[in-house]
Amino acid sequence: DLMPLVIAAVGLLAGSIAGACFGFAVGLFLDLALVQTMGLSSLVYVAVGYWAGRFRELRDPQSALVPLAVGAAATAAAMVGYSLMQFLLGVEAPVSFLLAREILATVLLNGVIATPVYALVRRVLLPALPEDPRRRRRRAYTTGGLSPLSRA
């Protein structure tokens, strides 16, 4: 279940609209590929992508632990949301403590691998991301080498 991590990373890097659109596309692809209830994963992943992007837009997080926390929260939201939607649609599946144990184990595992996944997604998306105003490039001195600070 790496998809909540990837969708949350796209939301954190590109914003809420891009995160929601990417979540919808990935969810629709998963539903078609795995022959599941059409649109269920899309609905859950749209919420995850939008939430991660909105978190970026409202808080502008700077900490190195943000991908870890957002990845764990996105995984928990995706798994609980998907389980709840399956239950509401009337899918005949036993609900027990095994489900809670599986959700907890997946959240912990995804929390551990959230930072490398975020770094990989950032490396892939870096050419397409807008310029970060905090990361300004130093301009080269363009007067032909005549610096007012140099001695004659």
Side-chain angles (χ1 to χ4, degrees), residues 84-108:
L84 183 66
M85 292 302 227
Q86 288 281 27
F87 177 73
L88 290 175
L89 287 176
V91 174
E92 298 293 329
V95 178
S96 66
F97 288 112
L98 294 176
L99 178 64
R101 188 178 76 179
E102 181 182 341
I103 289 173
L104 183 64
T106 305
V107 167
L108 290 176

Side-chain angles (χ1 to χ4, degrees), residues 20-143:
C21 291
F22 186 72
F24 176 78
V26 167
L28 188 62
F29 176 74
L30 282 177
D31 286 340
L32 289 171
L34 299 176
V35 190
Q36 297 176 349
T37 305
M38 191 62 60
L40 190 59
S41 296
S42 297
L43 178 64
V44 173
Y45 288 153
V46 161
V48 168
Y50 181 78
W51 173 79
R54 195 69 181 143
F55 178 73
R56 173 191 177 256
E57 292 168 357
L58 291 178
R59 302 285 181 222
D60 194 26
Q62 297 296 319
S63 174
L65 296 177
V66 168
L68 187 135
V70 170
T75 302
M79 293 199 71
V80 168
Y82 190 79
S83 300
L84 183 66
M85 292 302 227
Q86 288 281 27
F87 177 73
L88 290 175
L89 287 176
V91 174
E92 298 293 329
V95 178
S96 66
F97 288 112
L98 294 176
L99 178 64
R101 188 178 76 179
E102 181 182 341
I103 289 173
L104 183 64
T106 305
V107 167
L108 290 176
L109 180 64
N110 278 4
V112 169
I113 63 172
T115 305
V117 170
Y118 177 80
L120 183 66
V121 170
R122 183 170 186 221
R123 179 173 289 228
V124 169
L125 290 181
L126 196 60
L129 292 176
E131 184 68 28
D132 190 6
R134 292 176 301 231
R135 186 183 53 178
R136 295 185 183 178
R137 296 182 184 165
R138 294 173 65 174
R139 292 188 347 169
Y141 200 74
T142 58
T143 60

